[in-house]
Amino acid sequence: MNDDDVRCPFNADVVEYRIQALEKSIEEISRAVKSIAETTEKIARLEERHSETREALERAFSAISRTRDEMKGLEKDIDRRLRSLEADMPAVRETSGWVKAGVISLVGLVLFAAIKLSLRF
């Protein structure tokens, strides 16, 4: 068999069919690539939002930590002040009793004087 004896069957319809199939495949690949590009863009936007959210959370937790530290300082100050008030309470109660007794005595003297003046006339 020589090369002249081997003939390649050439059918224009088969070639046309294969070209159309290739064109369809290329169109599908093109759509898939476009879809991948759109999805990649969406993922990039989501990653950016995620990054912003993560940074915001870090700021929030940092602020919470600072506030917690400030509250601990205030708590110590409040405890100190409360102990001071509790230590002064007996003296305050005693003074309050003296003031009440003084006011009652003063009212009594005023009433006594008023009654004495009203009995004279």
Side-chain angles (χ1 to χ4, degrees):
M1 248 183 163
N2 30 353
D3 290 335
D4 291 61
D5 291 339
V6 177
R7 288 198 167 171
C8 182
F10 180 75
N11 189 341
D13 292 335
V14 172
V15 171
E16 182 67 26
Y17 174 77
R18 286 188 172 181
I19 290 174
Q20 288 175 354
L22 284 172
E23 287 174 348
K24 285 181 183 179
S25 295
I26 291 172
E27 287 175 8
E28 289 175 7
I29 290 171
S30 176
R31 281 193 298 266
V33 167
K34 186 183 276 187
S35 174
I36 290 171
E38 290 171 358
T39 304
T40 303
E41 185 179 329
K42 288 179 184 177
I43 288 173
R45 276 188 255 131
L46 287 173
E47 285 178 348
E48 183 179 337
R49 287 180 188 165
H50 176 71
S51 175
E52 291 171 358
T53 302
R54 182 178 51 241
E55 290 170 1
L57 280 173
E58 287 174 5
R59 287 191 305 271
F61 283 124
S62 177
I64 289 170
S65 179
R66 283 192 308 271
T67 303
R68 185 183 310 127
D69 294 342
E70 291 172 7
M71 293 302 291
K72 285 181 182 177
L74 288 175
E75 183 179 320
K76 289 177 184 177
D77 186 47
I78 290 172
D79 281 344
R80 182 184 53 78
R81 293 170 118 190
L82 182 62
R83 285 192 182 116
S84 173
L85 287 173
E86 287 173 343
D88 293 343
M89 262 330 263
V92 170
R93 284 186 180 162
E94 185 177 9
T95 304
S96 175
W98 291 344
V99 170
K100 287 177 188 176
V103 168
I104 291 172
S105 298
L106 185 62
V107 169
L109 284 173
V110 169
L111 285 175
F112 179 73
I115 292 173
K116 189 174 182 184
L117 284 175
S118 67
L119 289 179
R120 268 191 180 171
F121 293 111

